[in-house]
């Protein structure tokens, strides 16, 4: 064999070895990236679940706010009607107390 052919074989072997090394490194990087992608996909799934839970809570909150407003409206309408009746009872009591005092005073004389 000539020296020139040997050099060509050596160069070819180095090129093949370098290509294999680069391919191995690329495959290793792809495997690492695939692992990172799986982790990110799991995080996205967890965040989507949280977002769905938050949406559900928002809807429940809106329903409760509506219910509170309705109850406040009912309470306001119920308290408006009896309020004057309570006021008349309150004003009637002092008169009764005054009349009792006057009655007691007249009995003592």
């Amino acid at each position: 064999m000539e020296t020139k052919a040997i050099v060509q074989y050596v160069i070819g072997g180095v090129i093949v070895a370098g290509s294999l090394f680069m391919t191995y490194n690329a495959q290793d990087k792809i495997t690492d990236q695939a692992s990172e992608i799986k982790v990110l996909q799991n995080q996205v799934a967890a965040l989507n679940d949280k977002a769905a839970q938050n949406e559900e809570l928002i809807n429940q909150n809106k329903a409760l706010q509506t219910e509170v407003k309705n109850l406040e409206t009912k309470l306001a309408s119920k308290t408006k009607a009896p309020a004057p009746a309570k006021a008349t009872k309150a004003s009637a009591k002092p008169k009764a107390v005054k009349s009792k005092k006057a009655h007691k005073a007249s009995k003592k004389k």
Side-chain angles (χ1 to χ4, degrees):
M1 245 183 172
E2 290 183 19
T3 308
K4 188 176 181 183
I6 293 172
V7 170
Q8 287 176 344
Y9 283 123
V10 170
I11 291 173
V14 169
I15 290 173
V16 168
S19 295
L20 289 173
F21 181 73
M22 288 176 59
T23 303
Y24 175 76
N25 281 341
Q27 183 63 35
D28 192 38
K29 286 181 183 179
I30 289 171
T31 303
D32 289 345
Q33 289 174 347
S35 296
E36 289 176 22
I37 288 170
K38 286 181 183 177
V39 168
L40 291 172
Q41 286 174 335
N42 290 337
Q43 289 176 349
V44 167
L47 290 173
N48 284 336
D49 289 345
K50 286 286 187 185
Q53 289 174 353
N54 286 344
E55 191 67 32
E56 172 101 14
L57 289 173
I58 288 169
N59 291 335
Q60 288 176 358
N61 191 12
K62 286 179 182 178
L64 289 172
Q65 285 176 343
T66 303
E67 188 175 345
V68 166
K69 285 180 184 177
N70 291 339
L71 290 172
E72 285 174 343
T73 303
K74 285 181 183 178
L75 180 63
S77 66
K78 285 183 179 181
T79 55
K80 285 181 184 177
K86 288 181 180 179
T88 57
K89 288 180 183 177
S91 62
K93 284 185 180 180
K95 290 179 185 176
V97 170
K98 287 179 185 177
S99 63
K100 285 181 182 178
K101 286 181 181 178
H103 183 68
K104 286 182 181 178
S106 65
K107 280 187 177 179
K108 288 182 180 179
K109 289 182 181 182

